[in-house]
Each structure stands twice: as C-alpha cells, then as structure tokens.
C-alpha cells in the first residue's frame, strides 16, 4: 500500500496497490474525492473503494471506468481484482 503523501508528491512506489480504501471525512468535497480516485487510478491502482460513513454508502471505482455502489445492507467485493474478497459494508461502518 502506498500512502497518500507519496501519491500526492508523485513519488509512488514502482507498483501501485491493487486496492485502495478511501474513508471520507464529514467535510470532504466531492471534487476532491474525484481527484483522489483519478490520482490512484493514474498511479495504477485497479480498484478504489470510497466509503462515506455519513450516508452509509460506498462507491467502487474500477480502473476501466466502471463504478458500482453499495448501501449499508450490501457488501464490497474485490471482483476480478481480488477474487473472493467480500466485506459487508455494515462491518466497515461499525
């Protein structure tokens, strides 16, 4: 896993992580979140989960541009990036 500081400074490890989980703060702006996801994807990350504890939802962003959403009753999964990984969103939010 690479820290955001390394990504922001463009000193990213030779290989980006396959999965990044971004946990939003209550005052996070939507535009900044989009920029952060794009930065991770440019670095080579295949899957970004953006978890919003206020709305109790999560968005999954794939490197190919596809997106998915999950509500608190749903689950986050690794898809083809990390097959078999499945985490209930309620467990992340508790």
């Amino acid at each position: 896993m690479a820290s955001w500081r390394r990504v922001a400074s463009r000193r990213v490890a030779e290989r980006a992580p396959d999965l990044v989980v971004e946990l939003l703060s209550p005052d996070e702006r939507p535009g900044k979140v989009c920029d952060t996801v794009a930065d991770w994807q440019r670095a080579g990350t295949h899957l970004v989960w953006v978890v919003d504890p206020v709305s109790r939802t999560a968005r999954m962003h794939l490197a190919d541009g596809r997106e998915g959403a999950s509500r608190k009753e749903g689950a986050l999964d690794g898809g083809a990036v990390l097959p078999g990984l499945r985490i209930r969103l309620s467990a992340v939010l508790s």
Side-chain angles (χ1 to χ4, degrees):
M1 177 139 209
S3 71
W4 172 246
R5 186 173 297 134
R6 287 174 53 205
V7 171
S9 68
R10 303 291 185 230
R11 293 185 314 240
V12 180
E14 194 171 303
R15 294 180 185 224
D18 290 329
L19 168 66
V20 168
V21 180
E22 288 284 338
L23 183 62
L24 300 181
S25 64
D27 60 342
E28 196 90 43
R29 294 174 311 168
K32 183 173 180 343
V33 174
C34 291
D35 290 345
T36 300
V37 169
D39 287 343
W40 280 117
Q41 289 175 329
R42 274 193 298 277
T45 297
H46 300 288
L47 177 60
V48 180
W49 294 346
V50 179
V51 179
D52 184 345
V54 173
S55 68
R56 303 188 63 76
T57 60
R59 294 209 57 82
M60 296 166 275
H61 302 267
L62 294 165
D64 66 5
R66 289 181 295 147
E67 293 184 17
S70 181
R71 300 242 178 250
K72 66 180 175 181
E73 303 83 21
L76 297 164
D77 68 71
V81 176
L82 295 168
L85 177 64
R86 186 167 176 83
I87 302 172
R88 295 202 53 76
L89 182 56
S90 60
V92 174
L93 295 169
S94 60

